[in-house]
């Protein structure tokens, strides 16, 4: 993840909406990586109160993941990949 440090900082500061936007910008990757990033962005959007936008992102990414026969990633996986604790997000 090219901008992992910036993403970590945003999540530590409770700026989920900005983190979601960063993930969406990073989703210029192809295939499974793009779908995974967009799915995580959708989960963050929902957490930030942007339910409709987040749900649309989940639907797009979920369809791509299904076509690739891959599981839908959990938000905890993003935190694990970044070396953060998921509990940090739930407290903001």
């Amino acid at each position: 993840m090219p901008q992992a440090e910036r993403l970590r900082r945003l999540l530590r500061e409770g700026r989920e909406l900005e983190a979601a936007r960063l993930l969406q910008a990073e989703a210029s990757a192809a295939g499974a990586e793009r779908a995974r990033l967009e799915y995580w962005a959708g989960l963050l959007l929902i957490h930030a109160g942007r339910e409709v936008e987040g749900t649309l992102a989940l639907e797009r990414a979920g369809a791509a993941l299904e076509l690739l026969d891959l599981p839908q990633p959990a938000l905890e996986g993003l935190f694990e990949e970044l070396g953060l604790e998921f509990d940090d997000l739930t407290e903001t």
Side-chain angles (χ1 to χ4, degrees):
M1 203 173 293
Q3 295 200 38
E5 187 54 43
R6 182 170 175 216
L7 187 56
R8 266 195 252 359
R9 182 174 38 80
L10 290 171
L11 290 170
R12 281 188 191 125
E13 294 172 359
R15 296 162 54 192
E16 295 93 355
L17 184 56
E18 290 174 66
R21 298 288 184 237
L22 180 60
L23 284 171
Q24 288 175 320
E26 293 281 322
S28 62
E33 183 66 9
R34 177 187 183 122
R36 188 172 68 119
L37 293 174
E38 185 168 17
Y39 200 87
W40 279 334
L43 292 172
L44 285 172
L45 286 166
I46 290 170
H47 192 273
R50 306 289 297 249
E51 289 86 6
V52 173
E53 190 177 355
T55 300
L56 291 172
L58 292 180
E59 288 175 358
R60 281 190 307 271
L65 291 167
E66 188 176 319
L67 284 173
L68 296 167
D69 199 28
L70 296 171
Q72 296 174 341
L75 197 51
E76 291 89 344
L78 171 63
F79 278 70
E80 185 177 297
E81 190 170 311
L82 293 170
L84 297 172
E85 296 293 324
F86 182 69
D87 292 340
D88 295 337
L89 178 64
T90 58
E91 293 173 5
T92 60

